[in-house]
Amino acid sequence: METLKGRLFHINVCSSLSFVPSDTQWDHDPRVYRRTSQCDRLCVDIGSHVAETPSPDVSHQYTPKCLSAHKGTTPCHYGEEVWQDGSSLRTTIRAENEVEANKLANNYRFGFRKWKSHVTERPIEDRSDIVRELYSELNFVRPQGSLITCGNIAYLILFGWWISLAYLLVCLLMFLTIIGVPYGKLCWKLSCYFLWPFGKSILKPRSLVRRCCVKFPHCEAIPEESDSKEVKESTPLLMPPSCRVSTYVWLLLGYPLLGLIHSLACFLSWILVFTIPVAKMNARTLAIILLMPPEDVHIHRLKKPQGCDSQVLLCCYHAFNWYYYKYTLDGINVFAVNLLPLVITTLVVGYVDTENQFVSSEAKFAAAVSSIIPLSYYIGMGIASISAQSNFAVGAVVNATFGSITEMTFYITALLRGHKAGTKCYEEIVKAALTGTLLGCILFIPGISMIIGGFKHREQRFNSRSAGVSSALLFISVGGVFAPTLFSKAYGSLVCAGCSSSQANTSGPFTCMDCHYDMVSTYISCSPLVYTISVLLPSAYLIGLIFTLKTHSHIYDIQVSGHGTVHWSRLRALSVLIMATLLMAACADLTTEHIKPILDHSAISQYFIGVTVLAMVPEIPEIFNGIQFALQNNISLSLEAGNCIAVQVCMIQIPLLILFNTFYVNVHFINIIDVGFVLLFSDLHLWASIFSVIVVNYIFMDGKSDYFQGTALVVVYLILLALYFFAPSPHAC
């Protein structure tokens, strides 16, 4: 029992921190939010309690992530009173099971993993009705609504007519063989069915479901799996040859042709994701219906739910469902599954077609950059799975090693290629990408989250004191990173080339072109400062972890409600993590290899390419994370999703680049000034970053957000992008 002075707020955060938006319905009362399904989404329940409130009796204590120190982060306006009164806060994080609790705690400790999702299996009966429908096998009859929808009409245009035409052609072929007439009649029926399958069902004969009616006397439709044995016994493949001569004609002529048609339709509809019901319909037809005796296949129009006298094999109402972006296979999101062939194709084409005879360099660059998206998902899932099943020490090692592997792989690969080519252009691209990541995480991610969240929620609140801590941390990070640049401006040697005076007035002022600071003398004078900062920034990060994990960890508790089965074991997760990292390195190598032609022939500044494409593609998961939290009326986590990445760029990634650079220089005995990573940024990077932090700090002062404030942040971001677009290319490029 613990007595708390003043109000006590409980932030109940479910472990479902997946990247998909929630279907939860929230109250409009800003003080209370309710959850309608079991941990199917992020939930934030905030309530006021008087003194003498007992704290939960839990055995696990965890703390928030990184250095954000958001101890009082709540979307309600009471958070300000608690900070001002000095009252204690206890954050109770509730999770479905201990593994999900560890995953959630690691998100708070080390930052949200990219494309995060559940690492444990979730009972389908605990999911929402919308999610349960996604995993249905299209063999249940239910009350139907309108069948004339845009998605169904799109099915007719994209799939229905040519699948139906294929059945008509096979039907004619079966009639020509005479022996295959029964299958010709089946093809005719299926041709009419697949032209418009909605509101129709394919049933088994009554004799096959007699036993099921005893087992399920009050059912509306019998699951196909409950009688799978009888289905196998009725397939023509198991019938005596003398009884089914037409079967061999069907398997030789008809089934292979329709197999190609259904396989093509299944592939196309699966790739489109939102038409996965069409893929399921084609797959079930190919695997079950076309292998049944033709006389046992009955097609009926559904006017009311079927009784126990029939067993439904296939019944589809809608060909299109927006919610299929939630669909997962063994815990892997369907988009990551579909994009994996892109990665393999990119690597094969990139390393086989070295002379660009079949595919242009620009296309290879675009494919390599796009391949980063699915690979970042697998890396994030591997990190989350390992750390969620391990203790804090292992989780810290895994997160520290692989947490920024997506960005670091590209940066290091680019620097190595710059050393090989003997040019500083790649270093400037890396600096532009680092700055672009800062600007995107500071301005764009919070801004777009506020805009989209503001359309659904009129006004969202967060703890301004907590946001102030985050803003102060950004000031420290950005100030530390750009301190050597400010030092060089104050004490560096300015060199100008091509100075001349007017011919009419020789005593007039000189006109100087191509003025820049002498990099050699400047870096030699500030190199001790660079190494000092590269030690101080990670030290500050570590102190923040100690603060939140050790000295002030008593204010965070985690409660678990059960046990869960993990999707990936630690061995499997480690294997996936290593393989995805190797593929990421290969894709980064192709990206840097094929970016040179784009830089040489581009009409826009190389700065713009670095701060947009190379900076924001790896951060696409964070954009989705921020939008998801904003839609769930938890704008505080949207702000943290971007701020944490910005802090990690300054306090982890840049010091790691300096460490790698120093090690590489010492091993290869090269001149760091010529090809190494020098922590001196251009004026545009310097003032854009500082201005962004000031703007964000001003926006976060009142603890409220709406779509107008989000618009302001996005507009500032676009203005800065316009500066980079019209800026001249770096001197080294």
Side-chain angles (χ1 to χ4, degrees), residues 324-468:
Y324 265 103
Y325 63 81
K326 292 185 175 184
Y327 198 73
T328 60
L329 297 175
D330 196 21
I332 305 174
N333 185 267
V334 62
F335 284 101
V337 175
N338 288 352
L339 289 177
L340 192 57
L342 172 65
V343 178
I344 305 302
T345 304
T346 299
L347 295 178
V348 172
V349 174
Y351 286 107
V352 172
D353 184 24
T354 55
E355 301 297 329
N356 300 329
Q357 296 179 353
F358 303 100
V359 182
S360 65
S361 182
E362 292 78 5
K364 292 180 181 178
F365 171 78
V369 172
S370 301
S371 299
I372 294 176
I373 299 175
L375 291 176
S376 66
Y377 175 89
Y378 286 97
I379 290 175
M381 280 290 294
I383 294 174
S385 298
I386 295 175
S387 59
Q389 303 175 66
S390 308
N391 55 31
F392 169 72
V394 175
V397 171
V398 172
N399 280 274
T401 306
F402 295 95
S404 300
I405 195 67
T406 301
E407 297 85 356
M408 293 299 300
T409 301
F410 168 75
Y411 298 152
I412 293 176
T413 305
L415 292 176
L416 292 177
R417 189 166 294 277
H419 170 235
K420 182 179 179 181
T423 175
K424 297 285 290 182
C425 184
Y426 288 92
E427 180 197 354
E428 294 299 326
I429 296 299
V430 170
K431 292 178 181 178
L434 289 169
T435 307
T437 303
L438 283 177
L439 300 180
C441 293
I442 295 174
L443 296 174
F444 183 75
I445 293 180
I448 196 67
S449 301
M450 288 180 179
I451 293 175
I452 297 179
F455 289 150
K456 183 177 181 180
H457 308 281
R458 183 179 181 87
E459 184 178 86
Q460 295 178 293
R461 294 179 178 269
F462 55 91
N463 193 307
S464 61
R465 293 293 186 89
S466 180

Side-chain angles (χ1 to χ4, degrees), residues 41 61 85 123 217 280 298 309 355 366 396 556 590 620 709:
R41 59 204 54 84
Q61 291 185 341
D85 297 340
K280 291 183 177 181
H298 301 278
D309 57 343
E355 301 297 329
Y556 298 97
L590 289 176
I620 288 179
Q709 291 181 326

Side-chain angles (χ1 to χ4, degrees), residues 424 427 519-524 665 670-676 678:
K424 297 285 290 182
E427 180 197 354
M519 185 66 69
V520 176
S521 61
T522 301
Y523 186 77
I524 292 176
V665 168
I670 62 176
N671 188 355
I672 187 174
I673 304 300
D674 295 334
V675 294
V678 179

Side-chain angles (χ1 to χ4, degrees), residues 621-698:
E622 308 304 332
I623 299 175
F624 279 92
N625 292 343
I627 293 174
Q628 173 208 358
F629 298 142
L631 289 174
Q632 295 166 348
N633 206 12
N634 195 357
I635 194 64
S636 59
L637 289 183
S638 299
L639 306 182
E640 288 184 7
N643 289 345
C644 183
I645 298 300
V647 171
Q648 288 179 347
V649 168
C650 296
M651 292 191 166
I652 298 297
Q653 294 179 13
I654 290 180
L656 284 178
L657 286 177
I658 296 174
L659 177 63
F660 165 78
N661 190 82
T662 304
F663 174 79
Y664 190 78
V665 168
N666 292 332
V667 169
H668 293 83
F669 302 101
I670 62 176
N671 188 355
I672 187 174
I673 304 300
D674 295 334
V675 294
F677 179 77
V678 179
L679 197 62
L680 296 176
F681 291 82
S682 67
D683 290 351
L684 186 57
H685 295 330
L686 170 66
W687 302 119
S689 301
I690 295 178
F691 177 70
S692 299
V693 175
I694 295 174
V695 170
V696 167
N697 188 51
Y698 176 78

Side-chain angles (χ1 to χ4, degrees), residues 19-20 130-138 269-270 272-281 316 318-329 332-336 338:
F19 77 94
V20 296
I130 295 177
V131 175
R132 287 201 296 266
E133 183 179 352
L134 303 181
Y135 295 93
S136 66
E137 294 298 331
L138 303 182
S269 55
W270 182 273
L272 294 176
V273 175
F274 303 108
T275 56
I276 285 181
V278 179
K280 291 183 177 181
M281 182 172 59
C316 184
H318 298 286
F320 193 92
N321 191 334
W322 277 111
Y323 287 93
Y324 265 103
Y325 63 81
K326 292 185 175 184
Y327 198 73
T328 60
L329 297 175
I332 305 174
N333 185 267
V334 62
F335 284 101
N338 288 352

Side-chain angles (χ1 to χ4, degrees), residues 519-535:
M519 185 66 69
V520 176
S521 61
T522 301
Y523 186 77
I524 292 176
S525 61
C526 70
S527 57
L529 175 62
V530 171
Y531 294 122
T532 302
I533 291 174
S534 64
V535 173

